[in-house]
């Protein structure tokens, strides 16, 4: 076989189902149920009018400049853009973790991190969350070959968070960078976007996929001290973001009023979803993201997932060794939420 042994040995990351046809109520991959800010259409139209024969700005400077203002960063040199935040995670892993090195992640969390380590021929180590969703001290311990630590905050699939104080303590104790993955932070009560100013080891990644309703566009970014960003830039593809996505992403983050209103709606529906699930006897982890994790004490999760799918409601069934299985349900519109809860009522009360 032609491929590197690391590639042959790995299973490959499997993203959530993306049915391209059929009328599903789609609550399985934490997309935003609402259309994105209206300004992006004009931004894309203007881009098309200018034409696409030229390469895009390799650094996405229009976006970086606007984002630096919004996040009160000293300059655009604190930001690097990526083709979705998965691209950012890939770039960071490639830049920091070599063959035989060690990558650390909490457990349970985003499965992709392991695949990124495997592609590098690196080792990975999972540190289990405590029962109260805090992290043990071992998460911050130096270890042989440790080169990068990932921390999704809010975490997926739980929607729980680690405090800013703890994140600063972890970064202080670690011998390597700590990448705080803030894919869901716009639905949370606090963020760490300013913490790279306090510790050069802290990198913060963000995406427009979840909170801006732009998962189909592919745009993410990372914030870090300029000398850290400078090294990451060497690893990215020259033109990792296209002209259309740079223009649309710049227009999107400009509309902070849209973001605030969207956040308000999603959080309100999230609280209704959590309350509705609890009323049906589900155990629901309090979530700061746009999804909730739930289990039922007497009804197994997988048949519930399957029955919902047959009724054209798609949620995510997940089974984590040591942690158990359960359902991760994305927050939809109020109508989608009502449809979900009434079907669930018929399933668990049957
Ligand atoms: C969705 C998600 C991402 C990736 O988002 P992109 O669409 O690639 O920007 C990154 N991290 C976590 C934890 C996610 O859930």
């Amino acid at each position: 076989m032609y491929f590197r042994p690391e590639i042959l040995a790995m299973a490959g990351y499997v993203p959530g189902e993306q049915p391209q046809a059929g009328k599903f109520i789609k609550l399985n991959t934490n997309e935003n149920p609402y259309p994105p800010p209206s300004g992006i259409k004009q931004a894309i139209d203007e881009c098309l009018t200018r034409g696409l024969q030229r390469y895009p700005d390799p650094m996405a400077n229009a976006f970086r400049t606007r984002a630096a203002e919004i996040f009160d960063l000293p300059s655009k040199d604190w930001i690097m853009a990526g083709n979705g935040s998965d691209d950012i995670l890939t770039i960071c892993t490639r830049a920091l973790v070599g063959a035989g090195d060690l990558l650390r992640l909490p457990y349970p969390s985003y499965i992709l991190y392991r695949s990124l380590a495997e592609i590098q021929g690196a080792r990975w180590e999972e540190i289990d969350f405590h029962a109260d969703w805090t992290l043990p001290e071992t998460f911050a311990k130096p270890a042989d070959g440790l080169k990068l630590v990932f921390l999704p905050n809010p975490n997926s699939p739980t929607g729980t968070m680690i405090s800013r104080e703890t994140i600063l303590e972890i970064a202080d104790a670690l011998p390597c960078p700590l990448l705080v993955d803030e894919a869901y932070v716009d639905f949370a009560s606090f963020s760490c976007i300013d913490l790279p100013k306090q510790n050069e080891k802290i990198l913060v990644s963000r995406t427009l996929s979840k909170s801006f309703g732009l998962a189909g566009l592919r745009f993410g970014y990372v914030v870090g001290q300029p000398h850290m960003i400078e090294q990451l830039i060497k690893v990215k593809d020259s033109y990792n973001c296209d002209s259309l996505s740079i223009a649309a992403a710049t227009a999107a983050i400009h509309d902070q009023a849209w973001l605030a209103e969207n956040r308000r709606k999603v959080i309100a529906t999230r609280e209704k979803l959590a309350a509705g699930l609890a009323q049906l006897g589900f155990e629901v982890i309090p979530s700061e993201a746009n999804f909730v994790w739930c289990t039922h004490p007497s009804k197994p999760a997988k048949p519930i997932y399957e029955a919902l799918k047959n009724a054209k409601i798609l949620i995510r069934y997940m089974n984590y060794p040591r942690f158990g299985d359960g359902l991760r349900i994305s927050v939809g519109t109020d109508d989608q939420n009502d449809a979900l809860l009434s079907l669930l009522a018929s399933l668990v009360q049957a």
Side-chain angles (χ1 to χ4, degrees):
M1 285 290 271
Y2 308 112
F3 293 87
R4 288 165 47 218
E6 295 86 342
I7 305 304
L8 291 172
M10 69 184 277
Y13 177 72
V14 183
E17 296 163 88
Q18 304 295 351
Q20 298 298 317
K23 273 217 179 86
F24 277 92
I25 292 184
K26 197 168 171 304
L27 304 174
N28 68 327
T29 48
N30 304 338
E31 291 139 331
N32 203 298
Y34 300 105
S38 56
I40 71 157
K41 189 168 178 310
Q42 195 191 339
I44 290 175
D45 282 348
E46 283 169 12
C47 223
L48 289 173
T49 305
R50 277 197 301 276
L52 293 174
Q53 64 271 51
R54 304 260 183 246
Y55 279 109
D57 171 5
M59 290 310 302
N61 280 325
F63 176 87
R64 296 167 86 204
T65 303
R66 190 70 194 100
E69 288 164 10
I70 289 170
F71 300 126
D72 199 18
L73 296 165
S75 76
K76 64 178 172 27
D77 302 333
W78 289 66
I79 301 171
M80 180 186 74
N83 181 32
S85 64
D86 284 351
D87 184 36
I88 297 291
L89 304 176
T90 301
I91 292 166
C92 291
T93 310
R94 286 173 62 202
L96 290 159
V97 188
D101 288 340
L102 181 65
L103 185 148
R104 179 178 290 163
L105 52 145
Y107 183 83
S109 75
Y110 193 31
I111 313 279
L112 176 76
Y113 304 144
R114 299 198 294 217
S115 306
L116 296 177
E118 286 166 355
I119 292 169
Q120 294 303 103
R123 296 168 292 133
W124 46 265
E125 160 185 76
E126 292 171 328
I127 307 287
D128 290 5
F129 280 103
H130 285 138
D132 65 355
W133 303 110
T134 59
L135 282 165
E137 267 173 36
T138 47
F139 192 78
K141 282 257 151 65
D144 252 6
L146 184 63
K147 293 294 165 62
L148 177 61
V149 177
F150 280 128
L151 180 64
N153 209 42
N155 186 42
S156 173
T158 56
T160 54
M161 288 189 93
I162 299 298
S163 73
R164 287 165 54 89
E165 298 69 36
T166 305
I167 283 173
L168 281 170
E169 281 166 24
I170 293 171
D172 265 341
L174 283 173
C176 67
L178 171 67
L179 188 143
V180 183
D181 180 346
E182 292 199 332
Y184 299 105
V185 83
D186 288 319
F187 308 106
S189 52
F190 64 89
S191 114
C192 295
I193 192 101
D194 58 313
L195 294 189
K197 291 180 193 167
Q198 293 190 44
N199 189 322
E200 64 176 6
K201 283 180 273 178
I202 299 181
L203 299 167
V204 177
S205 70
R206 292 262 183 113
T207 175
L208 274 70
S209 296
K210 307 327 191 324
S211 54
F212 277 99
L214 291 172
L217 186 78
R218 311 308 303 138
F219 199 93
Y221 54 99
V222 59
V223 172
Q225 291 196 10
H227 70 281
M228 304 290 283
I229 297 293
E230 191 186 332
Q231 300 304 318
L232 295 176
I233 288 169
K234 296 181 189 168
V235 176
K236 79 178 190 69
D237 287 349
S238 306
Y239 304 106
N240 60 332
C241 301
D242 61 80
S243 308
L244 298 174
S245 70
I246 296 168
T250 308
I253 56 152
H254 194 72
D255 201 343
Q256 293 289 308
W258 181 95
L259 178 65
E261 175 58 12
N262 183 268
R263 165 190 155 84
R264 189 195 60 73
K265 284 191 287 193
V266 170
I267 290 176
T269 310
R270 178 184 76 203
E271 297 312 308
K272 283 188 217 171
L273 172 62
L277 289 167
Q279 208 157 38
L280 295 173
F282 284 91
E283 277 155 19
V284 188
I285 300 176
S287 169
E288 297 221 38
N290 66 337
F291 55 82
V292 299
W293 175 264
C294 65
T295 52
H296 197 281
S298 60
K299 306 280 176 181
K302 195 157 191 200
I304 295 178
Y305 155 78
E306 282 163 352
L308 288 175
K309 189 173 175 184
N310 284 332
K312 293 274 189 268
I313 298 182
L314 207 50
I315 62 170
R316 192 86 176 255
Y317 167 77
M318 289 169 147
N319 190 2
Y320 293 92
R322 300 200 298 288
F323 169 63
D325 68 347
L327 303 170
R328 196 193 67 189
I329 307 177
S330 310
V331 176
T333 61
D334 278 333
D335 286 350
Q336 293 174 331
N337 196 47
D338 292 345
L340 169 82
L341 287 171
S342 71
L343 195 55
L344 277 175
S346 68
L347 289 171
V348 299
Q349 286 162 355

